Amino acid sequence: MAAETKIHNIKDKKDKLIYAGQEHILKYYDKLSLKQREDLLSQILSIDMSLVNELIAMGMTAKEPHPHLEPPCIIPIQDKRYQQAKGKGEEALKDGRIACFVVAGGQSTRLGYNLPKGTFEVGPVSSKSLFQYHAEKIAAMNNRYNTNIPWYIMTSKENDTQTRDFFQRHDFFQLQTKDVIFFEQGMLPAIDFDGKLIMDSPDHIAMSPNGHGGSLLGLKESGALDDMRRRGIKEIFYFQVDNALVKIADPVFIGYHLLEKAEMSTKVVSKIRPDEMVGVVGYINGRLGVIEYTELNDEERYAVNADGSLRFKAGNTAIHMLNVEFVHRLVRDGFHLPYHGARKKIPSLDKHGKLQKPHEPNGIKFETFIFDALRYAKHSVVMEVNRKEEFSPLKNISGQDSPETVRHDLINLYTGWCKAVGLEISDCPIEISPLFAMDSDEFVQRIIDKELWTQPEGLYIGSTG
Ligand code: UTP
């Protein structure tokens, strides 16, 4: 009966689809089994076709005129309010007002890794995964501030089960299970260059996660935002799963955000060269946001200040503070960030119904970006941090931002800490567990306190692999 009704429904739906010019998605319908028909039908019914039609129209139209850009006001690395900010952030952590939130729903296309990116092993000596690093940092903050920071993890339909299984298998890395909360982000269909939905099997439309900006609506729709409010969380420390050096719940950043009564804040690093492929934080037609590197024209890209520094130097790290009530206000009425279309290689059925992996982009995926929320914040803090200490994302299989550079950056960081206590380790990769020390100062203290001049637990010195 259920199937019959649904088949009837799909016939109705077919009219609408024909009207929308998408009748090809029912091309194989008559050859499908009942189960496949049901699956296809429920997928069709779950898609917001009016939004998709808007996106198709957007994807086919010309770009907006070039905006007017201005650099932001940046809190420098050496700032006189550093200690005050740190104290303020520590207070918030001790009071249990801070949650951590990692977005881990991406597809890792450039890395070419089929499992969730957080499971990728980056530890230069220990081979620990990104997720383990992040979990240990949160556990270390819990110990340091005698608190229980809840950790929200956004996954997607494609990697949710694998992510949860990974945490189960590792016993949640000693974190309390009630404080690790997973939820799935939304998905959107991909279109080809003629505005047609792409099929990746006879009973399935190709879908992809709706971007890290989808996290804001995801927080609401999953109930995570309400959960935060129930727990008395006031501010969210947002980060992306691929940054191995992220200083999770950094009290200094939290402190500045609180001192400025900011609604959304961001950490930046100085660009290393004008043509570095990183988005820059700045004012876009008067509103704070991130300008993608492809959107800067040459004049802006190479512009310098009187002291010779780059005018647009504030590289986006995708580390943010978000005020819970700000997020609530944004998503209360089904708010959407603007969509960005990107040309991608999307596996699709050829005219014989066979799945093909294209070598060139064959369609457009639509995403929203978290940094587009900056423009809605009444106040924001833009804080500069040291790239070598806080930013090393895993994006590509080789070259820039690859497993090799991430491991190299980790070794560099920890070697620096060792040098600070006079430990000279040559020709040997070194790694320090966040459970042993979270930063150089703590490392020095731990070594002095415990007189640990032999190799202590959590300090791994050894060969890679
Ligand atoms: P990227 O934009 O770098 O995408 O995501 P990616 O999936 O890691 O890699 P590519 O582009 O497919 O090669 C930056 C961060 O945002 C998350 C990712 O998991 C990563 O932490 N993200 C991205 C989501 O959570 N959902 C999305 O839809 C997109």
Side-chain angles (χ1 to χ4, degrees), residues 99-102 150-154 181 183 219 224 227-228 231:
C100 288
F101 177 30
V102 67
W151 185 17
Y152 298 84
I153 300 177
M154 185 177 81
I181 306 106
F183 70 87
L219 280 173
D227 184 61
M228 287 180 185
R231 290 174 187 247

Side-chain angles (χ1 to χ4, degrees), residues 208-220:
S208 60
N210 60 1
H212 39 69
S215 61
L216 296 180
L217 213 51
L219 280 173
K220 178 186 171 212

Side-chain angles (χ1 to χ4, degrees), residues 24-26 28 32 36-37 39-44 46-47 157-158 187-189 197-208 347-349 355:
H24 64 286
I25 64 171
L26 297 176
Y28 302 98
L32 299 178
Q36 287 173 315
R37 288 179 184 189
D39 289 348
L40 179 59
L41 174 66
S42 58
Q43 190 192 15
I44 293 170
S46 73
I47 293 173
K157 205 165 239 10
E158 290 169 353
M187 306 283 282
L188 277 172
L197 296 171
I198 292 179
M199 301 295 288
D200 57 12
S201 80
D203 61 346
H204 193 260
I205 299 162
M207 306 282 283
S208 60
S348 60
L349 295 185
L355 186 66

